[in-house]
Amino acid sequence: MPCARRSGGVNFLEARRLVSGLHVGEPLPFLFALSGTAEPFVLYLRAAAAKRGRAADVRLLPFNTLAQAVRRDADPTTIEVFLLMPWDFVPEADWRSGVPESVDEDQVRSQASETARLLARRSGARMLYLPAPLPPLFPDPARGAALARSLESLALGLGAHVLPAEAFALPAYLSGGCPVAGHAIGLVAEAVVEAATAARAEPKKVLVTDLDNVLWRGLIAEDGVEGIAFEPVGVGYRHFVYQSLLRRLRREGTLLAAVSRNDPDVARAPFETGRMLLREADFVAIIASYHAKSAQIRELAQRLNLGFDSFVFVDDNPVEVAEVSLALPGVRCVTFPQHDDAFAAFVNDLASLFPHRVITAEDRERTDLYRRRLEGLGSTDLQGADLTRFLRDLKMTLTIHDRGRGDRTRAVQLINKTNQFNLNGQRVTDEQVRTMLEAGGRLFGAALADRTGNHGEVLTCLVAPDGTIAAFVMSCRVLQRRVEYAFLAWLAGQPTPPVALQWESTARNEPFRQFLSEVAGPLNGGGPVRLEPAAVAARYAQDLALFTVCQT
Amino acid sequence: MTDQAETKLQDIVRAALDLPRDADVTTARQTGLEAWDSLAHVSLMLAIESEFALSIDIADQIHLTSYPAIRHYLEEQGV
């Protein structure tokens, strides 16, 4: 019995009008690969292209020759769009052959896998799958249903776009070999042209990952190897899963690299424990320095001789992500999620950037091949992006607390736990601080908030009675936000500004050395470093202007 | 069948069979038209399904080999 159906896509007469109305259009040549009768599609394909201002030049396969076509090598200059039917994987399921007397299920599944493997070799092909119902192949209907689901899974594994099953029409297929119903042919043609015109998403080749709070939970320079978490328990679980994804991607041929604002020996220490899933040998480079991450990635790209569009960068810090995005727009930047509920989507999205239909022996050995190209990376002076506009948009508020009064627990704690951005590495007791304050010293704490959230009290500065800064520390979580420059500009603008800093080099405080060199000029060993308050206040006034400053 | 539907059907037949715009198709038959081959018949059936939101059974498709037959069929479908 005939039945009315809902129409989809362009109808026949409208398709004619669209095609006749297109006088000039950019050519869109492509192969439409269908095992059935494809000729009726041509008008609708040309119409769908005309809607996009394109003149479709459609090539078709001869009837029932798709199986032969997939066994030939693909022409890399041709756009191929396959409209796959279940019987392209399992010929026994073709309605036009009737219901088979008997079917060997193992053989059928093996044949389907072989066809999927052949299709997977056509890395540039775009796939559509029409999950038409299967004829009863097995005595047990459940096995037929299971096979149908398996075939759809194979198609999805090829990256196929799955069309609505209602687009299939048995009458049209049996009578004329065209598997698509008249009411759906315009819809299917739209999907085909959409696939033909879609920018070809080239798989990414290099995953550049941050370390602290990404590859592991915690800050290696502050917490040490024993204080970070990367094992499948508690707060380390997410990082274990992330490492396991990277391990698989590396096995599939993705190049892994790490960039971190750390000293090299500190950044490498967790790898040397042998307790992490990932080993140093899994990375083509572990770049630990205090240069801008964009500059590190730029040099990595040059040394690997790969374009920026081959790179994905993962970091938990939105400022680092912005810096790389601004400096290297071709790099795909992905933010490591702060919260567990976004983690599953993050993992899947990240994996989807590195699709591999076929894994070769060369893929597995790629890391070793590239490691040899990268010896000595990360030693040059490198400049990053200008983040001023991004930082302004963060709408940062710096709240400066006078910790000379009231509770100073956090301020003292910060002095005693911070290693990297630390003026001299000196540890202090609360009693020593109290004595200094009673003698006329001053203690400041600074808390940072921005539109991404509240970062808490991140900076402490202890000024001795003689006006020398005795302690100046900041959490490295907020490096790159210019907090240290803004605070120093504010302090230099106070009625009794400090006149020197008690500098000492330590094994870990390279970030502070870089900061102080910029503020006060070249450093000669340890000892007091003079500060010109007026000059500092003027030079870093723009940094201070990035913040709304509150005082308590 | 309404005049509008009849006009649409004539447009479909002319377009599917690649006939001139002013061709009289009201007496067209597959046996008398070279352009109405098996492939054109598939396209014509799909075009009718597309325009009138129908699914035409195989048994009907085999018999819809003339304009009057198609017109009669559509009337039966309430077009």
Side-chain angles (χ1 to χ4, degrees):
Chain A
M1 287 291 290
C3 61
R5 296 284 183 87
R6 185 173 55 83
S7 181
V10 175
N11 288 347
F12 177 74
L13 292 174
E14 177 64 10
R16 295 275 302 190
R17 277 191 286 275
L18 282 165
V19 171
S20 61
L22 182 75
H23 301 297
V24 181
E26 183 190 347
L28 176 62
F30 67 96
L31 170 72
F32 176 50
L34 174 73
S35 56
T37 303
E39 283 79 0
F41 278 91
V42 173
L43 170 69
Y44 299 89
L45 294 171
R46 291 174 63 199
K51 281 169 69 178
R52 294 162 172 79
R54 306 288 297 272
D57 176 10
V58 188
R59 194 159 65 79
L60 305 175
L61 295 177
F63 183 78
N64 217 11
T65 61
L66 188 139
Q68 294 92 314
V70 297
R71 283 167 172 77
R72 289 193 293 270
D73 289 337
D75 175 358
T77 64
T78 300
I79 298 171
E80 296 180 329
V81 184
F82 282 79
L83 174 51
L84 299 168
M85 306 299 297
W87 38 92
D88 292 325
F89 294 97
V90 179
E92 290 84 346
D94 192 341
W95 287 94
R96 289 172 67 90
S97 304
V99 177
E101 264 190 284
S102 67
V103 169
D104 180 332
E105 187 172 354
D106 289 341
Q107 188 181 337
V108 157
R109 287 181 178 274
S110 166
Q111 197 172 6
S113 297
E114 171 62 9
T115 301
R117 191 188 63 78
L118 290 168
L119 287 163
R121 288 171 46 212
R122 314 181 87 80
S123 58
R126 297 101 199 263
M127 309 284 179
L128 304 169
Y129 182 67
L130 178 46
L134 306 184
L137 297 177
F138 308 109
D140 180 0
R143 288 164 61 197
L147 178 64
R149 282 196 292 274
S150 296
L151 299 182
E152 188 165 333
S153 294
L154 283 175
L156 286 168
L158 295 166
H161 170 62
V162 178
L163 297 165
E166 299 76 36
F168 174 70
L170 188 60
Y173 186 53
L174 291 179
S175 65
C178 179
V180 174
H183 67 83
I185 195 165
L187 185 75
V188 172
E190 280 285 334
V192 171
V193 170
E194 181 72 34
T197 55
R200 188 171 154 182
E202 292 288 346
K204 304 294 184 184
K205 294 175 181 165
V206 188
L207 190 153
V208 181
T209 182
D210 180 31
L211 296 178
D212 286 337
N213 284 322
V214 176
L215 207 62
W216 52 70
R217 168 67 173 258
L219 307 173
I220 184 62
E222 305 296 342
D223 304 323
V225 170
E226 297 309 317
I228 62 172
F230 45 72
E231 285 159 335
V233 62
V235 295
Y237 228 130
R238 286 200 301 163
H239 306 276
F240 164 79
V241 173
Y242 178 66
Q243 288 201 22
S244 68
L245 170 65
L246 267 54
R247 181 179 61 176
R248 202 199 74 196
L249 293 176
R250 177 242 186 271
R251 181 178 162 72
E252 292 170 350
T254 298
L255 300 177
L256 303 180
V259 290
S260 178
R261 289 181 183 277
N262 267 307
D263 294 321
D265 58 332
V266 173
R268 285 191 168 84
F271 296 95
E272 290 163 3
T273 65
R275 301 204 316 266
M276 291 206 305
L277 279 183
L278 290 172
R279 308 299 167 93
E280 191 171 346
D282 291 319
F283 291 79
V284 292
I286 295 174
I287 308 169
S289 80
Y290 296 97
H291 299 304
K293 289 186 177 176
S294 65
Q296 297 176 9
I297 294 171
R298 182 181 289 114
E299 190 180 3
L300 185 63
Q302 286 168 355
R303 297 282 284 273
L304 291 171
N305 198 24
L306 292 171
F308 294 128
D309 57 359
S310 297
F311 282 71
V312 174
F313 171 59
V314 180
D315 202 302
D316 65 314
N317 184 336
V319 180
E320 300 285 14
V321 168
E323 193 271 327
V324 173
S325 293
L326 286 168
L328 308 173
V331 173
R332 177 70 177 271
C333 295
V334 180
T335 303
F336 193 90
Q338 300 287 333
H339 304 291
D340 290 346
D341 53 4
F343 189 68
F346 160 78
V347 169
N348 280 303
D349 291 348
L350 189 60
S352 71
L353 296 173
F354 300 91
H356 291 92
R357 291 182 182 174
V358 180
I359 312 298
T360 65
E362 188 194 11
D363 290 331
R364 297 195 184 97
E365 292 165 7
R366 188 166 293 131
T367 296
D368 295 332
L369 294 172
Y370 277 91
R371 277 177 71 89
R372 292 176 207 134
R373 293 191 192 178
L374 294 172
E375 288 169 12
L377 184 68
S379 58
T380 54
D381 192 19
L382 307 166
Q383 294 299 312
D386 180 1
L387 284 175
T388 305
R389 186 172 165 191
F390 175 79
L391 293 175
R392 197 174 292 129
D393 290 344
L394 275 179
K395 304 202 180 308
M396 296 183 288
T397 298
L398 193 63
T399 303
I400 298 171
H401 302 282
D402 178 358
R403 293 299 185 203
R405 297 174 276 119
D407 184 13
R408 57 176 175 264
T409 308
R410 168 64 180 165
V412 174
Q413 181 191 55
L414 204 56
I415 293 173
N416 288 327
K417 69 175 278 194
T418 304
N419 293 316
Q420 291 181 291
F421 196 90
N422 189 322
L423 172 65
N424 48 33
Q426 290 293 314
R427 303 313 194 199
V428 293
T429 64
D430 185 70
E431 181 62 22
Q432 289 169 322
V433 173
R434 186 176 63 80
T435 302
M436 197 177 285
L437 294 175
E438 286 173 354
R442 288 167 291 161
L443 180 65
F444 300 99
L448 176 69
D450 61 33
R451 63 179 170 79
T452 70
N454 189 346
H455 301 278
E457 197 160 314
V458 294
L459 181 151
T460 296
C461 182
L462 177 62
V463 184
D466 66 355
T468 299
I469 296 179
F472 188 178
V473 299
M474 187 181 73
S475 167
C476 59
R477 283 186 292 118
V478 296
L479 279 170
Q480 284 271 70
R481 284 176 161 84
R482 310 292 290 181
V483 174
E484 62 276 36
Y485 295 92
F487 174 79
L488 197 60
W490 172 85
L491 190 59
Q494 296 305 296
T496 51
V499 293
L501 300 98
Q502 190 61 41
W503 158 251
E504 287 295 336
S505 174
T506 75
R508 299 263 183 97
N509 69 351
E510 172 64 16
F512 203 99
R513 190 197 63 76
Q514 289 190 1
F515 165 70
L516 193 54
S517 299
E518 187 181 330
V519 169
L523 303 173
N524 298 313
V529 175
R530 281 187 58 78
L531 197 64
E532 301 289 345
V536 167
R539 195 187 312 161
Y540 300 111
Q542 286 186 336
D543 294 301
L544 187 56
L546 292 169
F547 298 81
T548 300
V549 178
C550 306
Q551 286 180 246
T552 66
Chain B
M1 176 180 271
T2 65
D3 290 347
Q4 190 182 5
E6 176 127 31
T7 302
K8 182 190 270 190
L9 177 60
Q10 291 178 15
D11 287 344
I12 293 168
V13 174
R14 285 190 202 97
L17 303 181
D18 227 3
L19 300 173
R21 282 187 178 182
D22 57 353
D24 177 12
V25 293
T26 57
T27 58
R29 291 181 179 279
Q30 189 173 23
T31 51
L33 274 172
E34 195 177 333
W36 197 334
D37 60 14
S38 58
L39 202 54
H41 189 69
V42 174
S43 294
L44 178 59
M45 293 298 106
L46 289 167
I48 292 167
E49 287 186 338
S50 161
E51 287 296 334
F52 295 107
L54 294 169
S55 178
I56 307 173
D57 280 353
I58 300 172
D60 294 317
Q61 291 193 25
I62 291 166
H63 292 109
L64 298 181
T65 55
S66 69
Y67 182 88
I70 296 170
R71 186 183 185 284
H72 178 67
Y73 169 82
L74 290 176
E75 280 187 327
E76 281 185 343
Q77 304 311 313
V79 173

